[in-house]
Amino acid sequence: MKTSKFLTFLVLLGISFSAFAQDELQITSKDSIVQSSWIVGVGFNAVDDSGNVFDGIFNVGQEWNIVPYPSRVSIGRYFKNGLGIEAIGSYNRYMKGNTIDEEIILEDIPYYAFDGRVTYDINKIIGQTGWFDPYIGVGVGYTDANNEGRGTYNAVVGFRTWFSDRWGLDFNSTGKWAMTTSNEVTNHIQHAAGVVYQFGIEKGLSKRGEEKLALMAAIEKEKQRQRDSINEVNRLKEEALLAAQLKKQKEEDALAAAERERLDKLNRKKQAIKSRIEQLGNVYFDLNSSYVNNDSKKVLDAMAEIFEEIPTLKLKVTSHTDSRGTSTYNDWLSERRVTRTKEYLLSKGVAPERIMTEAFGEQRLLNECDDNTYCPAEKHAVNRRSEFEVVEF
């Protein structure tokens, strides 16, 4: 057995353990999906006739028409490539006082629709979920509304959610555009919700199932190759080579562990410095002022001590304003504040190259106190600050 083949087998084993650590490495029902089927549905429909499919879409009381019993049936065939063909029949009643074809009706009027459409399963693009199936589609139909028949061009968007391989719910909305306006008929939307049932199901493996099957075959092939090769004359030589590889791997693992420990130690040190700086708090300013007050000088004095204690420390100082005043003024004011913050630290002996600065004006408020929200003075005061960020240590 050659070394490269045996190492390939070890790599495949490692992949299998990481990819399927929580599942047995075998094909289960979770790895299969419905690829094609017939679907029948029964449910309710609501007609929204406002004269334009996007006008008054949520005006349920005046424009939606619903009957209190199942009023929609459908049957469709759906294929492996994601396409589906569906036929739909629905009944409804326009309620007295609602709008049809831009007219308010004085009596209840029945609504009949017979539609055919072609849909596409969006999961073919975004990936199969097995329980959630969004789709889009187009079609044509015939609708009798306001005692006026009309052909329609249809566009649909919807989704199905499945409780099992057979039962689920379907929710969709269909925009219907009249093919002709000669009788002053208008466009409308038909919403639908109902129960769907699948039959004539053809199932297949999901993408994950196909990957798992391929991996199982590869692993079995490598296992067989190992069993065949282990009887070869060069077995002892290969074992020695493997031992050398394992020794090298152990050394590399030790180096990696040491590097991780070094990085962990560095991160702990950085976190400790960050915590000390956070405990000092921010530097705060009076309204319309960039002068460092006595309370803020105490913070900056302590910050200077940290700089002296840690010669390699570099910080970024950012200054901010509250939302009062114009943005141009606040940009200027935050520049003044960050400059005075840095100047104070420089006066305490901190080298200028150890301090970076940036001013943000009113761009980074810490609360809801923007130009459109009333806030008391103490809330605005929270935003008038200089903050500190560790750049290097």
Side-chain angles (χ1 to χ4, degrees), residues 315-364:
L315 292 182
K316 180 178 181 180
V317 181
T318 62
S319 291
H320 312 264
T321 71
D322 60 30
S323 63
R324 292 177 290 184
T326 66
S327 59
T328 301
Y329 170 73
N330 285 333
D331 288 343
W332 173 85
L333 183 57
S334 65
E335 288 282 359
R336 295 287 297 166
R337 286 174 176 172
V338 79
T339 298
R340 291 187 182 275
T341 302
K342 180 178 180 178
E343 287 176 348
Y344 188 89
L345 289 171
L346 296 180
S347 72
K348 294 297 179 177
V350 181
E353 63 269 18
R354 299 177 66 187
I355 305 173
M356 287 169 282
T357 61
E358 190 170 2
F360 290 97
E362 60 182 80
Q363 298 176 41
R364 296 189 176 181

Side-chain angles (χ1 to χ4, degrees), residues 224-236:
Q224 185 60 48
R225 182 177 293 172
Q226 181 194 27
R227 288 192 290 266
D228 294 339
S229 299
I230 204 167
N231 294 319
E232 296 177 2
V233 177
N234 294 325
R235 178 174 62 86
L236 293 177

Side-chain angles (χ1 to χ4, degrees), residues 46-50 52-66 173 189 191:
V47 176
D48 173 9
D49 190 342
S50 62
N52 183 294
V53 294
F54 300 108
D55 181 21
I57 189 171
F58 297 112
N59 195 354
V60 176
Q62 295 182 359
E63 295 178 0
W64 284 37
N65 303 274
I66 307 171
S173 294
I189 291 180
H191 309 287

Side-chain angles (χ1 to χ4, degrees), residues 164-177:
S164 68
D165 284 343
R166 296 191 178 275
W167 292 99
L169 297 176
D170 187 2
F171 303 89
N172 63 79
S173 294
T174 302
K176 293 188 172 183
W177 290 265

Side-chain angles (χ1 to χ4, degrees), residues 17 21 52 55-56 122 134 157 164 212 232 271 286 310 325 354 370 372 377:
F17 291 144
N52 183 294
D55 181 21
I122 298 177
V157 59
S164 68
K212 186 186 288 188
E232 296 177 2
Q271 187 59 43
D286 296 329
I310 308 172
R354 299 177 66 187
D370 57 19
N372 300 315

